[in-house]
Amino acid sequence: MEKEQKQFAERLEQKGVSRRDFMKFCTFLTATMGLSSSFVPKVAEVFAAPKQRPPVIWLHFAECTGCSEAVLRSMYPWIDQLVLEVLDIAYHETIMAASGYQAEENLHMAMKKYEGKFICVCEGAVATKFNGGYGKIAGRTFQEIAKEVVPKAAATIAIGQCACFGGIQAAKPNPGGYVSVEEATGVKTIKIAGCPPNPINFVGTVVNYLLLGKLPALDHLGRPLFAYGKTIHDQCPRRAHFENDEMVEEFGSEEAAKGWCLYMMGCKGPETYNNCPIVKFNDGTSWPVEAGHGCIGCSEPNFWDKYTPFYEML
Ligand code: FSX
Ligand code: SF4
Ligand code: F3S
């Protein structure tokens, strides 16, 4: 175990990550998962000395690949290293070296080898009209691929608004008949919602599985409660400006304090469940409302149709 941990520390060091950075990340992840700080060493162990590395088949359907980008790049620049430490990614179109026939072969071999054991991660919506003609890979429709792979997985994680609820391609008039992965396959998915979702919520879900041997508790839509249990509005610092007497005094009046809130600019925070105000994006730098833009409800079903025009008050 000690040897493994040492080798892990060396690999991180090569990426310019100190043990202190790593422990800081584990503390942040543990808090995000809603676990007490006594779990921090256990969470660190999941990465440093994984007992099992579940095989993953990562599929892409109709989307912008922002979800993969979010996991692999934007947060901690080295989160890709951590993801690759705990998961055995057998197939991922964006990051694998293989292409063409070899890629197809990899997918089929991985599916056969790990049948019933792999985690399927899906990005993007599935086209259903015109026999699925709006989306094909290697001559096969998204629909055929989804129906072939998803039912063989031990669990399927839909990552991003598109895989969870259809996303922009399912917005009216939805010419391709795009639907969520769950609708396309009839298989229940765990939904890491958002456009893009916060990578910490994906990592938290996977670590929950590895640490506690089960998937996290979900809401009625299939989103993990640790991340999607509260509304943006309930956690928003701009709300504090008009709900805190001291702040109101500082602003001169409740009305003035309310001026900081983006509700009248169309913020959908009161109806949107996500943890953006707490976990933020880009290494905890900021999040939409902090940057001065109202929440557009990107983790809610069909937000493109439901919440446009975005600048109209709820
Ligand atoms: Fe959709 Fe993801 Fe938005 Fe993009 O793959 S959730 S369009 S950020 O990339 O699926
Ligand atoms: Fe609520 Fe949005 Fe106002 Fe924040 S900015 S308090 S989320 S309405
Ligand atoms: Fe999306 Fe709203 Fe967060 S738009 S990123 S859920 S603040």
Side-chain angles (χ1 to χ4, degrees):
M1 182 87 100
E2 252 172 44
K3 194 174 147 218
E4 274 175 14
Q5 291 192 348
K6 214 172 142 229
Q7 284 170 345
F8 171 76
E10 278 166 14
R11 283 199 296 280
L12 278 187
E13 220 164 87
Q14 280 165 7
K15 283 232 156 197
V17 184
S18 66
R19 184 167 162 78
R20 197 184 136 88
D21 290 338
F22 171 64
M23 288 316 289
K24 222 171 110 189
F25 171 77
C26 290
T27 308
F28 171 55
L29 179 64
T30 308
T32 304
M33 288 163 66
L35 299 175
S36 78
S37 55
S38 63
F39 275 92
V40 175
K42 292 248 171 274
V43 166
E45 220 172 85
V46 167
F47 293 109
K51 290 195 184 72
Q52 41 156 337
R53 287 174 73 224
V56 171
I57 293 180
W58 193 305
L59 300 175
H60 286 261
F61 301 123
E63 34 83 9
C64 77
T65 309
C67 304
S68 271
E69 292 290 337
V71 173
L72 295 169
R73 285 182 233 285
S74 67
M75 196 192 175
Y76 290 81
W78 39 273
I79 206 165
D80 57 341
Q81 181 72 40
L82 294 186
V83 169
L84 297 174
E85 292 285 341
V86 291
L87 299 176
D88 173 11
I89 302 203
Y91 180 89
H92 187 307
E93 283 156 21
T94 320
I95 59 172
M96 67 187 180
S99 63
Y101 288 108
Q102 201 197 338
E104 284 306 293
E105 206 181 303
N106 285 358
L107 174 61
H108 284 101
M109 270 168 43
M111 231 167 33
K112 220 163 134 191
K113 186 167 167 200
Y114 302 119
E115 187 165 347
K117 296 191 195 97
F118 67 91
I119 298 180
C120 184
V121 181
C122 293
E123 269 187 78
V126 179
T128 58
K129 271 194 204 160
F130 311 106
N131 293 324
Y134 264 64
K136 284 187 173 178
I137 299 167
R140 291 198 310 148
T141 65
F142 292 158
Q143 212 175 7
E144 284 174 271
I145 300 169
K147 281 189 174 164
E148 186 191 5
V149 183
V150 170
K152 295 194 177 77
T156 297
I157 302 179
I159 183 163
Q161 161 74 213
C162 304
C164 294
F165 306 117
I168 188 150
Q169 27 310 286
K172 281 183 196 130
N174 191 2
Y178 282 97
V179 297
S180 68
V181 171
E182 190 167 289
E183 246 182 289
T185 60
V187 175
K188 281 244 168 284
T189 59
I190 298 133
K191 300 185 184 69
I192 310 297
C195 186
N198 197 309
I200 196 86
N201 296 334
F202 172 73
V203 177
T205 302
V206 171
V207 169
N208 193 104
Y209 180 66
L210 296 176
L211 183 66
L212 308 172
K214 57 177 186 191
L215 290 161
L218 307 173
D219 72 2
H220 68 291
L221 294 170
R223 301 176 297 191
L225 278 169
F226 74 79
Y228 304 93
K230 286 188 192 150
T231 64
I232 295 286
H233 185 68
D234 278 344
Q235 308 162 87
C236 182
R238 290 192 188 246
R239 185 168 163 177
H241 282 106
F242 58 88
E243 287 197 343
N244 173 324
D245 289 345
E246 267 170 47
M247 285 283 194
V248 170
E249 210 172 297
E250 215 177 300
F251 276 85
S253 70
E254 201 181 311
E255 266 326 287
K258 271 189 180 159
W260 276 82
C261 167
L262 302 169
Y263 184 74
M264 287 173 56
M265 306 282 285
C267 180
K268 311 296 183 259
E271 289 187 4
T272 305
Y273 288 80
N274 208 339
N275 55 0
C276 316
I278 309 299
V279 299
K280 305 187 183 183
F281 287 84
N282 295 335
D283 204 352
T285 308
S286 190
W287 63 288
V289 170
E290 185 173 334
H293 196 288
C295 168
I296 59 172
C298 79
S299 52
E300 291 302 310
N302 311 319
F303 80 105
W304 290 102
D305 288 338
K306 193 171 168 201
Y307 291 136
T308 42
F310 290 133
Y311 299 102
E312 240 163 53
M313 219 165 50
L314 265 180

